[in-house]
Amino acid sequence: MKAMRPEDRLAAAWPVACGSAMAAHGEVMGYEDGVVRVVVSDKEWMQQMRSMSAVLARELSKIAGVAVSGIHFEVKVQGARY
């Protein structure tokens, strides 16, 4: 994984960090200045992920080997291309 871009490493680490059920409802879409951008399927899942953001940030950092200072969650806009 070391040869991959940080964003790709974080995306690969996402299902491991949060589990397959949660991972199915969110996707790592960006990484800048230590903040991971995650697009979430709906508001209910976003609330769940926000409540676990400190744990998710710590796990993503540990698994991906990338410094994570926070996670920005946003609900996916239907029909939007990311």
Side-chain angles (χ1 to χ4, degrees):
M1 270 185 28
K2 295 284 185 199
M4 297 169 71
R5 296 179 315 142
E7 181 179 325
D8 295 332
R9 290 162 57 185
L10 290 160
W14 176 249
V16 179
C18 65
S20 60
M22 187 177 285
H25 294 278
E27 184 178 357
V28 173
M29 297 301 289
Y31 174 75
E32 187 174 334
D33 297 329
V35 178
V36 180
R37 181 173 157 251
V38 176
V39 175
V40 184
S41 62
D42 58 52
K43 289 180 182 178
E44 289 77 20
W45 277 103
M46 185 167 73
Q47 186 175 14
Q48 174 99 15
M49 291 179 197
R50 277 189 177 155
S51 72
M52 299 179 59
S53 63
V55 172
L56 292 171
R58 185 175 59 246
E59 289 300 307
L60 280 172
S61 181
K62 184 170 76 173
I63 295 164
V66 175
V68 176
S69 59
I71 303 175
H72 170 77
F73 298 101
E74 58 190 73
V75 174
K76 181 177 182 177
V77 176
Q78 296 301 322
R81 301 184 93 198
Y82 290 94

